[in-house]
Amino acid sequence: YEQRVHDALAAAVKPGDVVWDVGANVGVYSELFCQWVGEDGLVIAFEPWAESCERIRERLPECTWLRVENVALGEEDATGRLVTATDSVENHIETDTDTRDGVAGSVPVIICRGDQVCERLGAVPNVIKVDVEGFEEEVLSGMGQVLASPVLRNVLVEVHFLKLERRGKLTAPTRIQKLLELKGFRTKWVDSSHLFATR
């Protein structure tokens, strides 16, 4: 399913790069990024669910160039709730403006702007992968300075059309593409749900 995504990221990530894995889940891509950047690079895995953070650390116990951030990225520094499902892939953030679906439990999470995190960490990413279950627009909106940096070469966004529609954000995919283009990226769809931006 994600072979084109894998190939696009493998071509984008270089040894020594700083890579952000936003919505890392259990670290499948984080592990690949760590292999690709090598020990001279840095991989930052952003994952709001503590259990998934532990699984990432267990997956890569010897990788000193991996940093796991137990936070969600968003358009403002705030708190929210992570609605947890049986399958961690279905976990998603809920804010005050969202409606509880009543299907799953939830846990409080810290939401940070990417710009604020970048300033705290002192390392602008070269490549960003975003997979945040319908909150793609908020994540990108919170990293305006990061997106404008010439250091950032590539952004790959998994666009969850159905989840965006359920949130009343049917036109968000168009806005996401336009935002990236306004920041100086060329965009293309590598498959039906993954938007790849290149500077």
Side-chain angles (χ1 to χ4, degrees):
Y1 163 63
E2 290 196 346
Q3 188 60 48
R4 291 181 183 175
V5 175
H6 177 281
D7 293 346
L9 288 169
V13 177
K14 311 295 183 194
D17 272 353
V18 176
V19 180
W20 283 13
D21 188 359
V22 184
N25 198 348
V26 296
V28 173
Y29 274 105
S30 297
E31 183 173 8
L32 290 171
F33 295 150
C34 286
Q35 292 170 9
W36 296 341
V37 304
E39 59 186 30
D40 292 330
L42 175 64
V43 175
I44 303 172
F46 296 92
E47 174 51 49
W49 199 24
E51 186 175 312
S52 289
C53 288
E54 282 308 308
R55 290 182 67 183
I56 296 170
R57 293 185 184 103
E58 290 167 5
R59 179 188 287 267
L60 296 159
E62 306 299 323
C63 187
T64 58
W65 56 97
L66 169 68
R67 180 163 183 161
V68 181
E69 291 277 321
N70 184 203
V71 299
L73 294 190
E75 63 186 336
E76 58 186 18
D77 299 324
T79 57
R81 299 197 71 80
L82 178 70
V83 178
T84 56
T86 304
D87 180 356
S88 64
V89 173
E90 292 298 316
N91 291 351
H92 62 277
I93 297 295
E94 187 178 85
T95 62
D96 293 339
T97 58
D98 293 312
T99 303
R100 283 296 303 267
D101 58 13
V103 174
S106 66
V107 294
V109 295
I110 297 168
I111 302 171
C112 301
R113 289 176 300 112
D115 285 340
Q116 183 266 339
V117 173
C118 185
E119 186 174 323
R120 173 168 59 83
L121 298 177
V124 179
N126 305 111
V127 179
I128 299 174
K129 185 221 88 184
V130 178
D131 180 3
V132 290
E133 306 298 322
F135 281 80
E136 300 84 82
E137 188 173 20
E138 286 90 341
V139 167
L140 295 174
S141 295
M143 57 172 70
Q145 293 174 19
V146 171
L147 292 175
S149 172
V151 172
L152 179 62
R153 300 188 310 267
N154 296 100
V155 181
L156 183 126
V157 184
E158 181 164 359
V159 180
H160 294 267
F161 288 91
L162 184 58
K163 291 176 182 178
L164 287 165
E165 185 177 351
R166 286 177 184 156
R167 295 186 64 223
K169 293 180 170 282
L170 191 61
T171 58
T174 302
R175 293 195 299 272
I176 289 167
Q177 189 165 7
K178 187 169 289 266
L179 170 63
L180 290 167
E181 290 171 352
L182 286 171
K183 293 294 184 181
F185 291 94
R186 301 182 307 281
T187 61
K188 68 174 182 178
W189 292 90
V190 294
D191 61 23
S192 60
S193 60
H194 291 89
L195 182 64
F196 192 60
T198 305
R199 177 177 278 122

